[in-house]
Every structure is written in C-alpha cells, then in structure tokens.
C-alpha cells in the first residue's frame, strides 16, 4: 500500500485556530502526527517559535524536516525528554478513513484508547509546567475522553466543539495538574 500523507481539512483548520490562540513568540511547539505539517508551517509563519513534529510515517517526517522543522519518526512524543514544550497538540486520527466498516469495528476502540492514552501520558511528561496540551477528536471516535483525562496527570482548561454536518469535532485544552 502506498503511503498517503494526510492533507489538511476542516479538522486541521479548526485545530490551527485553537492552537494559534495559545501560542506565543518564543514557544517550543510540538505537533504529534505531523502529516503534511500544515499547522506547524502556519504557526511558524505567524510566530517566532521553535517547531518540532513527530510521525510514524517516514514520508511525513522527511517532508516536515525539509520545510525546516525539527522532525522525528516516533509515535506521539515518547522520543523527547521531560518538560520540553510550551504547546503540544495532536489531531487524533480518524479511524475508518482507510478501512472498511467491519475492519473498523474490530479495532477502533482499542486503537483509539491506546493512542489517546499514550498521547496523554507523553504530553504530561514533555509539557512545561505552564504549557498546554491540545488535542482534537471526532465524536465518531468511540473513546470515553473525559474518563481518560480524569485518569491522567492533566486537567481540562476548556473544551471547544464544532458541529459539521456528519460529525462534531471536539478540542480539549489541557494543562498539568497543580501539585502544590
């Protein structure tokens, strides 16, 4: 099967709008699952930031690196040490866009939970104390997001929703729990 880079769509544009709200000059910004690197490209044009991207796809990492971003081939952010980033964001993959409904039913819940759990764990570890972890998920992805967040070391700052004709996009904005 030929590798197909995920091109920006409504979900990417929506996530970019929200990530932009929380980005400041001087930030270290990490995109998990960089795809075409559209969001990193735009953020780096609008702000004076250091940009980093991860992806499991070799093509995506090479494209991202060629555009001047620091790019690494790994899942989520496990390839970084702790307290590195001011902003970490992730557009949870839409399961089923390359699968039949039957294949999707077999693995979607476990796969989604595993990805989100890994993202939450690693974003907590890699996030600066005052940083933001931001992720987008479709209401069509069968995960109990709020339960997973409750069981993490992160707390919800805000939840944004955008209704589309076929789904609702949800963006969770998180910070580290205050352990005073």
């Amino acid at each position: 099967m030929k590798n197909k880079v995920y091109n920006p769509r409504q979900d990417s544009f929506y996530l970019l709008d929200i990530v932009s709200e929380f980005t400041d000059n001087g930030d270290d910004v990490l995109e998990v699952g960089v795809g075409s690197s559209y969001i990193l490209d735009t953020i780096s044009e609008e702000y004076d930031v250091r940009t980093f991207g991860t992806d499991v796809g070799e093509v995506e990492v090479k494209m991202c690196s060629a555009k001047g971003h620091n790019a690494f081939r790994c899942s989520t952010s496990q390839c970084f040490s702790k307290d590195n980033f001011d902003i970490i964001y992730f557009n949870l993959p839409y399961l089923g866009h390359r699968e039949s409904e039957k294949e999707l039913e077999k693995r979607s819940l476990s796969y989604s939970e595993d990805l989100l759990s890994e993202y939450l764990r690693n974003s907590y570890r890699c996030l600066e104390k005052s940083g933001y972890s931001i992720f987008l998920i479709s209401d069509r992805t069968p995960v109990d997001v709020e339960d997973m967040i409750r069981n993490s070391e992160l707390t919800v700052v805000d939840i944004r929703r955008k209704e589309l004709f076929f789904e609702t996009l949800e963006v969770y904005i998180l910070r580290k729990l205050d352990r005073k």
Side-chain angles (χ1 to χ4, degrees):
M1 178 187 278
K2 201 171 201 169
N3 188 350
K4 185 174 186 302
V5 174
Y6 182 80
N7 289 311
R9 296 187 178 103
Q10 289 176 316
D11 56 332
S12 300
F13 306 137
Y14 185 51
L15 184 57
L16 170 61
D17 289 344
I18 294 169
V19 168
S20 292
E21 285 181 43
F22 293 89
T23 303
D24 290 316
N25 288 324
D27 281 350
D28 287 338
V29 178
L30 170 64
E31 180 173 4
V32 173
V34 75
S36 68
S37 73
Y38 168 77
I39 296 176
L40 271 186
D41 296 342
T42 306
I43 291 291
S44 66
E45 289 170 6
E46 294 177 7
Y47 298 93
D48 181 20
V49 294
R50 288 190 328 156
T51 55
F52 300 82
T54 67
D55 207 294
V56 294
E58 184 176 347
V59 170
E60 289 84 344
V61 170
K62 285 181 179 178
M63 282 176 48
C64 184
S65 184
K67 294 177 181 181
H69 308 294
N70 299 290
F72 303 89
R73 189 170 182 194
C74 64
S75 178
T76 71
S77 56
Q78 82 253 14
C79 53
F80 295 101
S81 60
K82 59 185 281 186
D83 304 331
N84 290 48
F85 298 101
D86 302 292
I87 306 282
I88 301 173
Y89 61 93
F90 180 42
N91 186 349
L92 197 72
Y94 282 38
L95 299 172
H97 73 281
R98 294 183 190 161
E99 298 175 285
S100 72
E101 288 298 316
K102 192 170 188 172
E103 290 171 326
L104 178 62
E105 287 174 18
K106 287 181 188 175
R107 72 180 198 102
S108 65
L109 179 60
S110 173
Y111 180 72
S112 298
E113 286 177 342
D114 290 349
L115 267 179
L116 186 55
S117 177
E118 182 180 351
Y119 171 77
L120 293 171
R121 184 176 53 257
N122 286 312
S123 69
Y124 172 79
R125 183 179 51 77
C126 295
L127 197 61
E128 288 281 353
K129 185 177 180 180
S130 62
Y132 292 95
S133 173
I134 301 169
F135 71 90
L136 181 144
I137 189 167
S138 167
D139 68 340
R140 296 178 66 195
T141 304
V143 173
D144 186 347
V145 174
E146 289 165 10
D147 185 54
M148 293 182 77
I149 292 169
R150 268 192 301 280
N151 291 315
S152 75
E153 302 274 342
L154 300 163
T155 187
V156 175
V157 173
D158 197 5
I159 302 171
R160 313 266 179 96
R161 290 181 176 85
K162 181 174 186 167
E163 300 284 334
L164 304 177
F165 73 93
F166 55 93
E167 69 183 329
T168 300
L169 301 177
E170 299 176 329
V171 176
Y172 287 79
I173 302 152
L174 311 172
R175 292 191 103 157
K176 285 186 172 184
L177 284 171
D178 190 3
R179 300 273 184 210
K180 290 182 182 179

